Amino acid sequence: MTVDRFREAFADASPTPFWLDREGAPKPVAPLAGAEQADLAIVGGGFTGLWAAIQAKQDDPGRDVLLLERDTIASGASGRNGGFCDATLTHGLPNGIDRFPDEIETIERLAAESFRGIEDTIERFGIDCDWNPQGEVLVAREPHEIEWMREAVEQARRFGQDAVFLDRDEVRAELDSPTFLAGMWKRSGCAMVDPARLAWGLRRAAGELGVRVHEHTPVTALSKTASGVTLRVPRGTVDARRVVLATNGFPPLVRSIRRYVVPVYDYALMTEPLTADQRASIGWERRQGFGDSANRFHYYRPSDDGRILWGGYDAIYHWRNRVAPELEQREATFSTLARHFFETFPQLEGLRFSHRWGGVIDTCSRFSVMFGTALDRRVAYAVGYTGMGVAASRFGARTALDLVDGRDTERTRLRLVRSKPVPFPPEPLRSMGIQLTTRALAKADENAGRRGPWLRMLDSVGLGFDS
């Protein structure tokens, strides 16, 4: 298949994220107009904001909770991701062990408890979101990655996870690709989910609990008052006693966040539904999630209507943390993704892509959620999930509520919560450093995973990019 044919495969694809291009979205809610008051105002209608709203009402049903979303519920990262719900709070166990060795056992226990809380909420509120807890398979596609798989399995088992090593024939029996050499199947603490339908279900649950929601209501400024915080919106104000910010990688309302979080664009393709013969040619009966183990990796999973989502590889940063709608489409990345897809599944040549889209990931230097407060602790935030927020957002929301309410809890005592990642430098060093790191990661992939001087230096100062 030539480059032109790769482009042809997605030429007619819709630029709308597949998950948001389906039936079931809640009816739009009117923007806020006038002066309002609330006990708790939440800024952001993605997973973190929705979980904060639900848990705040479950804590205190009488608390007046108001959620403000700049666009529509799940229009940001929560409706654009791959739908991998992995219980990890630290962007994977190895990263957590490296950064928080003294408390990793506690973090893993809290992660498992929060993951069960997601399952319980889905069941309690009857949320139809194609929840499939079959886990994820991490595959080796280069010889040096096979031993990584064996080590990852042993490490996961030491922490009580259900993980098994798959040899070449075993991994291809789950999903058939000539590029697969081995794999690790993590069979616990990970599910595939339709992320938009999960968010829409959480929106309904929040409403049933009494949360007030306003869409198309961007918050433009925060200011401290005698009794709380005033939030300014285009057509009014909100006076709130406390505020939780759940703004992902979008321009922050607290300036200090900008030092620690950068927005990077991630991209994905979704195929048209496979025919019966095409499905038979690849297998994939259990519908697990799959991912590569290289630095520049792909993630892929099936949808409930027989399509394949294929994303990842490129992570694009734009000068001065730029975020804009036109950056959600990138022809060069879509072409690369299409080429890699057909290299992985040559038996699917001729399949076309129905959707192509991009979205912002909030990345910090330790790859896992970070927390903070502002305006005399009347404002708390949870940001920086680095693409692993579908599950971790519930923990992030719970912890942000603890912080804004001044609670001393097991969560707030964690160094994960009390510490900050290493900040990113200002421009132009920020862009230069990210570009240099991207090239170094690609070179490591080409060099049997061996990290060069630049990556080793980043490792030594706590900026150890590994994905």
Coordinates of all heavy atoms in Angstrom, one line a residue, residues 301-387:
R301 N -8.0 -0.9 20.3 CA -9.1 -1.7 20.9 C -10.3 -1.7 20.0 O -10.4 -0.8 19.1 CB -9.4 -1.1 22.3 CG -9.7 0.4 22.4 CD -11.1 0.9 22.0 NE -12.2 0.1 22.5 CZ -12.9 0.5 23.6 NH1 -12.6 1.6 24.2 NH2 -13.9 -0.2 24.0
P302 N -11.1 -2.7 20.2 CA -12.3 -2.8 19.4 C -13.5 -2.0 20.0 O -13.5 -1.8 21.2 CB -12.7 -4.3 19.4 CG -12.2 -4.8 20.7 CD -11.0 -3.9 21.0
S303 N -14.4 -1.6 19.2 CA -15.6 -1.0 19.7 C -16.7 -2.0 19.7 O -16.6 -3.1 19.2 CB -16.0 0.2 18.7 OG -16.4 -0.3 17.5
D304 N -17.9 -1.6 20.3 CA -19.0 -2.5 20.4 C -19.7 -2.8 19.1 O -20.4 -3.8 19.0 CB -20.0 -2.1 21.5 CG -20.6 -0.7 21.2 OD1 -20.1 -0.1 20.2 OD2 -21.5 -0.3 21.9
D305 N -19.4 -2.0 18.1 CA -20.0 -2.3 16.8 C -19.0 -2.8 15.8 O -19.3 -2.7 14.6 CB -20.7 -1.0 16.3 CG -19.8 0.2 16.0 OD1 -18.6 0.1 16.5 OD2 -20.2 1.2 15.4
G306 N -17.9 -3.4 16.3 CA -17.0 -4.1 15.4 C -16.0 -3.3 14.6 O -15.5 -3.7 13.6
R307 N -15.7 -2.1 15.1 CA -14.6 -1.3 14.6 C -13.3 -1.5 15.4 O -13.3 -2.1 16.4 CB -15.0 0.2 14.6 CG -16.3 0.5 13.9 CD -16.8 1.9 14.2 NE -18.1 2.2 13.8 CZ -18.4 2.8 12.6 NH1 -17.5 3.3 11.9 NH2 -19.7 3.0 12.3
I308 N -12.2 -0.9 14.9 CA -11.0 -0.9 15.6 C -10.5 0.6 15.8 O -10.4 1.3 14.8 CB -9.9 -1.7 14.9 CG1 -10.3 -3.1 14.8 CG2 -8.5 -1.5 15.6 CD1 -9.3 -4.0 13.9
L309 N -10.3 1.0 17.0 CA -9.6 2.3 17.3 C -8.1 2.1 17.3 O -7.6 1.1 17.9 CB -10.1 2.8 18.6 CG -9.5 4.2 19.0 CD1 -10.6 5.0 19.8 CD2 -8.2 4.1 19.8
W310 N -7.4 3.0 16.6 CA -6.0 2.9 16.5 C -5.4 4.3 16.7 O -5.7 5.2 16.0 CB -5.6 2.4 15.1 CG -4.1 2.3 14.8 CD1 -3.4 3.2 14.1 CD2 -3.3 1.1 15.1 NE1 -2.1 2.7 14.0 CE2 -2.0 1.4 14.6 CE3 -3.5 -0.1 15.7 CZ2 -0.9 0.6 14.7 CZ3 -2.4 -1.0 15.8 CH2 -1.2 -0.6 15.3
G311 N -4.6 4.4 17.8 CA -4.2 5.8 18.1 C -2.8 5.8 18.7 O -2.1 4.7 18.9
G312 N -2.3 7.0 19.1 CA -1.0 7.1 19.7 C 0.1 7.5 18.8 O -0.1 8.1 17.7
Y313 N 1.3 7.1 19.1 CA 2.6 7.3 18.4 C 3.1 8.7 18.5 O 4.1 9.0 19.2 CB 2.5 6.8 17.0 CG 3.9 6.6 16.4 CD1 4.7 5.5 16.7 CD2 4.4 7.5 15.4 CE1 5.9 5.3 16.2 CE2 5.6 7.3 14.9 CZ 6.4 6.2 15.2 OH 7.7 6.0 14.7
D314 N 2.5 9.6 17.8 CA 2.9 11.0 17.8 C 2.3 11.7 19.1 O 1.1 11.4 19.4 CB 2.4 11.8 16.6 CG 3.3 11.6 15.4 OD1 4.4 11.0 15.6 OD2 2.8 11.9 14.3
A315 N 3.0 12.6 19.7 CA 2.5 13.5 20.8 C 3.1 14.8 20.4 O 4.3 15.1 20.6 CB 3.0 13.0 22.1
I316 N 2.2 15.7 20.0 CA 2.6 17.0 19.4 C 2.4 18.2 20.4 O 1.3 18.4 20.8 CB 1.9 17.3 18.1 CG1 2.0 16.0 17.2 CG2 2.4 18.5 17.4 CD1 3.4 15.7 16.8
Y317 N 3.5 18.9 20.7 CA 3.4 20.1 21.5 C 3.5 21.3 20.6 O 4.3 21.3 19.6 CB 4.5 20.1 22.5 CG 4.6 21.4 23.3 CD1 3.7 21.7 24.3 CD2 5.6 22.3 22.9 CE1 3.8 22.9 25.0 CE2 5.7 23.5 23.6 CZ 4.8 23.8 24.6 OH 4.9 25.1 25.3
H318 N 2.8 22.4 20.9 CA 2.8 23.6 20.1 C 3.3 24.8 21.0 O 3.0 24.8 22.2 CB 1.4 23.9 19.6 CG 1.0 22.9 18.6 ND1 1.3 22.9 17.3 CD2 0.2 21.8 18.7 CE1 0.8 21.9 16.6 NE2 0.1 21.2 17.5
W319 N 4.0 25.6 20.4 CA 4.7 26.8 21.0 C 3.8 27.5 22.0 O 2.6 27.7 21.8 CB 5.2 27.7 20.0 CG 5.7 29.0 20.4 CD1 5.1 30.2 20.5 CD2 7.1 29.2 20.8 NE1 6.0 31.2 21.0 CE2 7.2 30.6 21.2 CE3 8.2 28.4 21.0 CZ2 8.4 31.2 21.6 CZ3 9.4 29.0 21.4 CH2 9.5 30.4 21.8
R320 N 4.3 27.7 23.2 CA 3.6 28.5 24.3 C 2.3 27.8 24.7 O 1.3 28.5 25.0 CB 3.4 29.9 23.9 CG 4.6 30.8 23.7 CD 4.3 32.2 23.3 NE 3.6 32.9 24.4 CZ 4.1 33.5 25.4 NH1 5.4 33.5 25.6 NH2 3.3 34.1 26.3
N321 N 2.3 26.5 24.8 CA 1.2 25.7 25.2 C -0.1 26.0 24.4 O -1.2 26.0 24.9 CB 0.9 26.1 26.7 CG 1.9 25.5 27.7 OD1 3.0 25.1 27.3 ND2 1.5 25.4 28.9
R322 N 0.1 26.2 23.1 CA -1.1 26.5 22.3 C -2.1 25.4 22.2 O -1.7 24.2 22.0 CB -0.6 26.9 20.9 CG -1.7 27.4 20.0 CD -1.2 27.7 18.6 NE -2.3 28.0 17.7 CZ -2.4 27.7 16.4 NH1 -1.4 27.0 15.9 NH2 -3.4 28.0 15.7
V323 N -3.4 25.8 22.4 CA -4.5 24.9 22.2 C -5.5 25.6 21.3 O -5.9 26.7 21.6 CB -5.1 24.6 23.6 CG1 -6.4 23.8 23.4 CG2 -4.2 23.9 24.5
A324 N -5.9 24.9 20.2 CA -6.8 25.5 19.3 C -7.5 24.4 18.5 O -7.0 23.3 18.3 CB -6.1 26.4 18.3
P325 N -8.8 24.6 18.1 CA -9.5 23.6 17.4 C -8.9 23.1 16.1 O -8.9 21.9 15.8 CB -10.9 24.3 17.1 CG -11.0 25.3 18.1 CD -9.6 25.8 18.4
E326 N -8.2 24.0 15.4 CA -7.5 23.5 14.1 C -6.4 22.6 14.4 O -6.0 21.9 13.4 CB -7.0 24.8 13.3 CG -6.0 25.6 14.0 CD -6.6 26.8 14.8 OE1 -7.8 26.7 15.2 OE2 -5.9 27.8 15.1
L327 N -5.9 22.5 15.6 CA -4.8 21.5 15.8 C -5.3 20.1 16.0 O -4.5 19.2 16.2 CB -4.0 22.0 17.1 CG -3.4 23.4 17.0 CD1 -2.7 23.7 18.3 CD2 -2.5 23.5 15.8
E328 N -6.6 19.9 16.0 CA -7.2 18.6 16.2 C -7.1 17.7 15.0 O -7.4 16.5 15.1 CB -8.6 18.7 16.7 CG -8.8 19.4 18.0 CD -10.2 19.7 18.4 OE1 -11.1 19.3 17.6 OE2 -10.4 20.4 19.4
Q329 N -6.7 18.3 13.9 CA -6.5 17.5 12.6 C -5.1 17.7 12.2 O -4.6 18.8 12.1 CB -7.5 18.0 11.5 CG -9.0 17.8 11.9 CD -9.3 16.3 11.8 OE1 -9.1 15.6 10.9 NE2 -9.9 15.9 12.9
R330 N -4.4 16.5 11.9 CA -3.0 16.6 11.5 C -2.8 15.5 10.4 O -2.6 14.3 10.8 CB -2.1 16.4 12.7 CG -0.6 16.7 12.4 CD 0.2 16.8 13.7 NE 1.5 17.4 13.4 CZ 2.6 16.6 13.2 NH1 2.5 15.3 13.1 NH2 3.8 17.2 12.9
E331 N -2.7 15.9 9.2 CA -2.7 15.0 8.1 C -1.5 14.0 8.2 O -1.6 12.8 7.9 CB -2.6 15.7 6.8 CG -2.8 14.9 5.5 CD -4.3 14.7 5.2 OE1 -5.1 15.2 5.9 OE2 -4.5 14.1 4.1
A332 N -0.3 14.6 8.6 CA 0.9 13.8 8.6 C 0.8 12.7 9.6 O 1.2 11.5 9.4 CB 2.1 14.6 8.9
T333 N 0.2 13.0 10.8 CA 0.1 11.9 11.8 C -1.0 10.9 11.4 O -0.7 9.7 11.6 CB -0.4 12.6 13.1 OG1 0.7 13.4 13.6 CG2 -0.7 11.5 14.2
F334 N -2.1 11.3 10.8 CA -3.0 10.3 10.4 C -2.4 9.4 9.3 O -2.7 8.2 9.3 CB -4.3 11.0 9.8 CG -5.1 11.8 10.8 CD1 -5.5 13.1 10.5 CD2 -5.3 11.3 12.1 CE1 -6.3 13.8 11.4 CE2 -6.1 12.0 13.0 CZ -6.5 13.3 12.7
S335 N -1.6 9.9 8.4 CA -1.0 9.1 7.4 C 0.0 8.1 8.1 O 0.0 6.9 7.7 CB -0.2 10.0 6.4 OG 0.4 9.2 5.4
T336 N 0.7 8.5 9.1 CA 1.6 7.6 9.8 C 0.8 6.5 10.5 O 1.2 5.3 10.5 CB 2.5 8.4 10.8 OG1 3.3 9.3 10.1 CG2 3.3 7.4 11.7
L337 N -0.3 6.9 11.2 CA -1.1 5.9 11.9 C -1.7 4.9 10.9 O -1.7 3.7 11.2 CB -2.2 6.7 12.6 CG -1.9 7.4 13.9 CD1 -3.1 8.2 14.4 CD2 -1.4 6.5 15.0
A338 N -2.2 5.4 9.8 CA -2.7 4.4 8.8 C -1.7 3.5 8.3 O -1.9 2.3 8.2 CB -3.3 5.2 7.6
R339 N -0.5 4.0 8.0 CA 0.6 3.1 7.5 C 0.9 2.0 8.6 O 1.0 0.8 8.3 CB 1.8 3.9 7.2 CG 3.1 3.1 6.8 CD 4.2 3.9 6.2 NE 4.6 5.0 7.1 CZ 5.5 4.9 8.1 NH1 6.1 3.7 8.3 NH2 5.8 5.9 8.8
H340 N 1.1 2.5 9.8 CA 1.4 1.5 10.9 C 0.3 0.5 11.1 O 0.5 -0.7 11.5 CB 1.7 2.3 12.2 CG 2.9 3.1 12.2 ND1 3.3 3.9 13.2 CD2 3.9 3.1 11.2 CE1 4.5 4.5 12.9 NE2 4.9 4.0 11.7
F341 N -1.0 0.9 11.0 CA -2.1 0.0 11.1 C -2.0 -1.1 10.1 O -2.1 -2.3 10.5 CB -3.4 0.8 10.9 CG -4.6 -0.1 11.0 CD1 -5.3 -0.3 12.3 CD2 -5.2 -0.6 9.9 CE1 -6.4 -1.1 12.3 CE2 -6.3 -1.4 10.0 CZ -6.9 -1.7 11.2
F342 N -1.8 -0.8 8.9 CA -1.8 -1.9 7.9 C -0.5 -2.7 7.9 O -0.5 -3.8 7.5 CB -2.0 -1.3 6.5 CG -3.4 -0.8 6.3 CD1 -3.7 0.6 6.2 CD2 -4.5 -1.6 6.3 CE1 -4.9 1.1 6.0 CE2 -5.8 -1.2 6.1 CZ -6.0 0.2 6.0
E343 N 0.6 -2.1 8.5 CA 1.8 -2.9 8.7 C 1.5 -4.0 9.8 O 2.0 -5.1 9.8 CB 3.0 -2.0 9.1 CG 3.5 -1.2 7.9 CD 4.5 -0.2 8.4 OE1 4.8 0.0 9.6 OE2 5.2 0.4 7.5
T344 N 0.7 -3.6 10.8 CA 0.4 -4.5 11.9 C -0.6 -5.5 11.5 O -0.5 -6.7 11.9 CB -0.2 -3.6 13.1 OG1 0.8 -2.6 13.5 CG2 -0.5 -4.5 14.3
F345 N -1.6 -5.1 10.7 CA -2.7 -6.0 10.2 C -2.8 -6.0 8.7 O -3.7 -5.5 8.1 CB -4.0 -5.6 10.8 CG -4.1 -5.5 12.3 CD1 -4.2 -4.3 13.0 CD2 -3.9 -6.7 13.1 CE1 -4.3 -4.2 14.4 CE2 -3.9 -6.6 14.5 CZ -4.1 -5.4 15.1
P346 N -1.8 -6.6 8.1 CA -1.8 -6.7 6.6 C -3.0 -7.4 6.0 O -3.5 -7.1 4.9 CB -0.5 -7.4 6.2 CG -0.1 -8.2 7.4 CD -0.6 -7.3 8.6
Q347 N -3.6 -8.3 6.8 CA -4.8 -9.0 6.4 C -6.0 -8.1 6.2 O -7.1 -8.5 5.7 CB -5.1 -10.2 7.3 CG -5.5 -9.9 8.7 CD -4.3 -9.8 9.7 OE1 -3.3 -9.1 9.4 NE2 -4.3 -10.5 10.8
L348 N -5.9 -6.9 6.8 CA -7.1 -5.9 6.7 C -6.9 -4.9 5.6 O -7.6 -3.9 5.6 CB -7.3 -5.3 8.1 CG -7.6 -6.2 9.2 CD1 -7.8 -5.4 10.5 CD2 -8.9 -7.0 8.9
E349 N -5.9 -5.1 4.7 CA -5.7 -4.1 3.6 C -7.0 -3.9 2.9 O -7.8 -4.8 2.5 CB -4.6 -4.6 2.7 CG -4.3 -3.6 1.6 CD -3.1 -3.9 0.7 OE1 -2.4 -4.9 1.1 OE2 -2.9 -3.3 -0.3
G350 N -7.3 -2.6 2.6 CA -8.6 -2.3 2.0 C -9.6 -1.7 2.9 O -10.6 -1.1 2.5
L351 N -9.4 -2.0 4.2 CA -10.3 -1.4 5.2 C -10.1 0.1 5.2 O -9.0 0.6 5.1 CB -10.0 -2.0 6.6 CG -10.9 -1.7 7.7 CD1 -12.3 -2.3 7.5 CD2 -10.3 -2.2 9.1
R352 N -11.2 0.8 5.5 CA -11.2 2.3 5.5 C -11.4 2.8 6.9 O -12.0 2.1 7.7 CB -12.2 2.9 4.5 CG -11.8 2.5 3.0 CD -12.8 3.2 2.1 NE -12.8 4.6 2.1 CZ -11.9 5.3 1.4 NH1 -11.0 4.7 0.6 NH2 -11.9 6.6 1.4
F353 N -11.1 4.0 7.1 CA -11.3 4.7 8.4 C -12.5 5.6 8.3 O -12.6 6.4 7.4 CB -10.1 5.4 8.9 CG -8.9 4.6 9.1 CD1 -7.9 4.4 8.1 CD2 -8.7 3.8 10.2 CE1 -6.8 3.6 8.3 CE2 -7.6 3.0 10.4 CZ -6.7 2.9 9.4
S354 N -13.4 5.5 9.3 CA -14.6 6.4 9.3 C -14.4 7.7 10.1 O -15.2 8.6 9.8 CB -15.8 5.6 9.9 OG -15.5 5.2 11.2
H355 N -13.5 7.7 11.0 CA -13.3 8.9 11.9 C -11.8 9.1 12.1 O -11.0 8.2 12.2 CB -14.0 8.7 13.2 CG -15.5 8.6 13.2 ND1 -16.1 7.5 12.7 CD2 -16.5 9.5 13.5 CE1 -17.4 7.7 12.8 NE2 -17.7 8.9 13.2
R356 N -11.5 10.4 12.2 CA -10.1 10.8 12.5 C -10.2 12.0 13.4 O -10.9 13.0 13.1 CB -9.3 11.1 11.3 CG -9.9 12.2 10.4 CD -9.0 12.4 9.2 NE -9.5 13.6 8.4 CZ -8.9 14.1 7.4 NH1 -7.7 13.6 6.9 NH2 -9.3 15.2 6.7
W357 N -9.4 12.0 14.5 CA -9.5 13.2 15.4 C -8.3 13.3 16.3 O -7.5 12.4 16.4 CB -10.8 13.0 16.3 CG -10.7 12.0 17.4 CD1 -10.3 12.1 18.6 CD2 -11.1 10.6 17.2 NE1 -10.4 10.9 19.3 CE2 -10.9 10.0 18.5 CE3 -11.6 9.8 16.1 CZ2 -11.2 8.6 18.7 CZ3 -11.9 8.5 16.4 CH2 -11.7 7.9 17.6
G358 N -8.2 14.4 17.0 CA -7.1 14.6 17.9 C -7.7 15.3 19.1 O -8.8 15.8 19.2
G359 N -6.9 15.4 20.2 CA -7.3 16.0 21.4 C -6.1 16.3 22.3 O -5.0 15.7 22.1
V360 N -6.4 17.1 23.3 CA -5.3 17.5 24.2 C -5.1 16.6 25.4 O -6.1 16.2 26.0 CB -5.6 19.0 24.7 CG1 -4.7 19.3 25.9 CG2 -5.5 20.0 23.6
I361 N -3.9 16.2 25.7 CA -3.5 15.5 26.9 C -2.8 16.4 27.8 O -1.9 17.2 27.4 CB -2.6 14.3 26.5 CG1 -3.4 13.2 25.8 CG2 -2.0 13.7 27.8 CD1 -2.6 12.1 25.3
D362 N -3.1 16.4 29.1 CA -2.4 17.3 30.1 C -1.2 16.5 30.6 O -1.4 15.6 31.4 CB -3.4 17.7 31.2 CG -4.1 16.6 31.9 OD1 -4.2 15.5 31.3 OD2 -4.5 16.8 33.0
T363 N 0.0 16.9 30.2 CA 1.2 16.1 30.5 C 2.0 16.9 31.6 O 2.2 18.1 31.5 CB 2.0 15.9 29.3 OG1 1.3 15.2 28.3 CG2 3.3 15.2 29.6
C364 N 2.4 16.1 32.6 CA 3.4 16.7 33.5 C 4.6 15.8 33.5 O 4.6 14.7 33.0 CB 2.8 16.9 34.9 SG 2.5 15.3 35.8
S365 N 5.7 16.2 34.2 CA 7.0 15.6 34.0 C 7.1 14.2 34.8 O 8.0 13.5 34.6 CB 8.1 16.5 34.5 OG 8.0 16.8 35.9
R366 N 6.1 13.9 35.7 CA 6.1 12.6 36.3 C 5.0 11.7 35.8 O 4.8 10.6 36.3 CB 6.0 12.8 37.8 CG 4.6 13.2 38.3 CD 4.6 13.4 39.8 NE 3.3 13.7 40.3 CZ 3.0 14.2 41.5 NH1 4.0 14.5 42.3 NH2 1.8 14.3 41.9
F367 N 4.2 12.2 34.8 CA 3.3 11.4 34.0 C 2.0 11.1 34.8 O 1.2 10.3 34.3 CB 3.8 10.2 33.5 CG 5.2 10.3 32.8 CD1 6.3 9.7 33.4 CD2 5.3 11.1 31.7 CE1 7.6 9.9 32.8 CE2 6.6 11.3 31.1 CZ 7.7 10.7 31.7
S368 N 1.9 11.5 36.0 CA 0.7 11.2 36.9 C 0.1 12.4 37.5 O 0.7 13.5 37.6 CB 1.1 10.2 37.9 OG 2.1 10.7 38.8
V369 N -1.1 12.3 37.9 CA -1.9 13.4 38.4 C -1.1 14.2 39.5 O -0.5 13.6 40.4 CB -3.3 12.9 38.9 CG1 -3.1 11.9 40.1 CG2 -4.1 14.1 39.4
M370 N -1.2 15.5 39.5 CA -0.7 16.4 40.5 C -1.8 17.2 41.1 O -2.8 17.5 40.4 CB 0.5 17.2 39.9 CG 0.1 18.1 38.7 SD 1.2 19.5 38.4 CE 0.5 20.7 39.6
F371 N -1.5 17.7 42.3 CA -2.6 18.4 43.0 C -2.0 19.7 43.5 O -0.8 19.9 43.7 CB -3.1 17.6 44.2 CG -3.6 16.3 43.8 CD1 -2.8 15.1 43.8 CD2 -4.9 16.1 43.5 CE1 -3.3 13.9 43.4 CE2 -5.5 14.9 43.2 CZ -4.6 13.8 43.1
G372 N -2.9 20.7 43.8 CA -2.5 21.9 44.4 C -3.7 22.7 44.9 O -4.9 22.3 44.6
T373 N -3.5 23.8 45.6 CA -4.5 24.7 46.1 C -4.1 26.1 45.8 O -2.9 26.4 45.5 CB -4.8 24.5 47.6 OG1 -3.6 24.8 48.3 CG2 -5.2 23.1 47.9
A374 N -5.1 27.0 45.8 CA -4.9 28.4 45.5 C -5.9 29.2 46.3 O -6.9 28.7 46.8 CB -4.9 28.7 44.0
L375 N -5.7 30.5 46.3 CA -6.6 31.5 47.0 C -6.9 31.0 48.4 O -8.1 30.8 48.8 CB -7.9 31.7 46.1 CG -7.7 32.2 44.7 CD1 -9.1 32.4 44.1 CD2 -6.9 33.4 44.7
D376 N -5.9 30.9 49.2 CA -6.0 30.5 50.6 C -6.8 29.2 50.7 O -7.6 29.0 51.6 CB -6.7 31.6 51.4 CG -5.9 32.8 51.5 OD1 -4.6 32.7 51.4 OD2 -6.4 33.9 51.8
R377 N -6.4 28.2 49.9 CA -7.0 26.9 49.9 C -8.5 26.8 49.6 O -9.2 25.8 49.9 CB -6.7 26.2 51.3 CG -5.2 26.0 51.5 CD -4.9 25.3 52.9 NE -3.5 25.2 53.1 CZ -2.8 24.2 52.7 NH1 -3.4 23.2 52.0 NH2 -1.5 24.1 52.9
R378 N -9.0 27.9 49.1 CA -10.4 27.8 48.7 C -10.6 27.2 47.3 O -11.7 26.9 46.9 CB -11.0 29.2 48.7 CG -10.9 29.9 50.0 CD -11.4 31.4 50.0 NE -11.1 32.1 51.2 CZ -11.4 33.3 51.5 NH1 -12.1 34.0 50.5 NH2 -11.1 33.9 52.6
V379 N -9.5 27.0 46.6 CA -9.5 26.4 45.3 C -8.6 25.2 45.3 O -7.5 25.3 45.9 CB -9.1 27.4 44.2 CG1 -9.0 26.7 42.8 CG2 -10.0 28.6 44.1
A380 N -9.0 24.1 44.8 CA -8.1 22.9 44.6 C -8.2 22.4 43.2 O -9.2 22.6 42.5 CB -8.5 21.8 45.6
Y381 N -7.1 21.8 42.7 CA -7.1 21.3 41.4 C -6.4 19.9 41.3 O -5.6 19.5 42.2 CB -6.4 22.2 40.4 CG -5.0 22.6 40.8 CD1 -3.9 21.8 40.5 CD2 -4.7 23.8 41.5 CE1 -2.6 22.2 40.8 CE2 -3.4 24.2 41.8 CZ -2.4 23.4 41.5 OH -1.1 23.8 41.8
A382 N -6.8 19.2 40.3 CA -6.2 17.9 40.0 C -6.0 17.8 38.5 O -6.9 17.8 37.7 CB -7.1 16.7 40.4
V383 N -4.7 17.8 38.0 CA -4.4 17.9 36.6 C -3.1 17.1 36.3 O -2.5 16.6 37.3 CB -4.1 19.3 36.1 CG1 -5.4 20.2 36.2 CG2 -3.0 20.0 37.0
G384 N -2.8 16.9 35.1 CA -1.5 16.2 34.7 C -1.6 14.7 34.5 O -0.5 14.0 34.7
Y385 N -2.7 14.1 34.2 CA -2.9 12.7 34.2 C -2.0 12.0 33.1 O -1.8 10.8 33.1 CB -4.3 12.3 33.9 CG -5.3 12.7 35.1 CD1 -6.0 13.9 35.0 CD2 -5.4 11.9 36.2 CE1 -6.9 14.3 36.0 CE2 -6.3 12.3 37.2 CZ -7.0 13.5 37.1 OH -7.9 13.8 38.1
T386 N -1.7 12.8 32.1 CA -0.8 12.3 31.0 C -1.4 11.1 30.3 O -0.8 10.0 30.1 CB 0.6 11.9 31.5 OG1 1.0 13.0 32.4 CG2 1.6 11.9 30.3
G387 N -2.7 11.2 29.9 CA -3.3 10.2 29.1 C -3.9 9.0 29.9 O -4.4 8.0 29.3

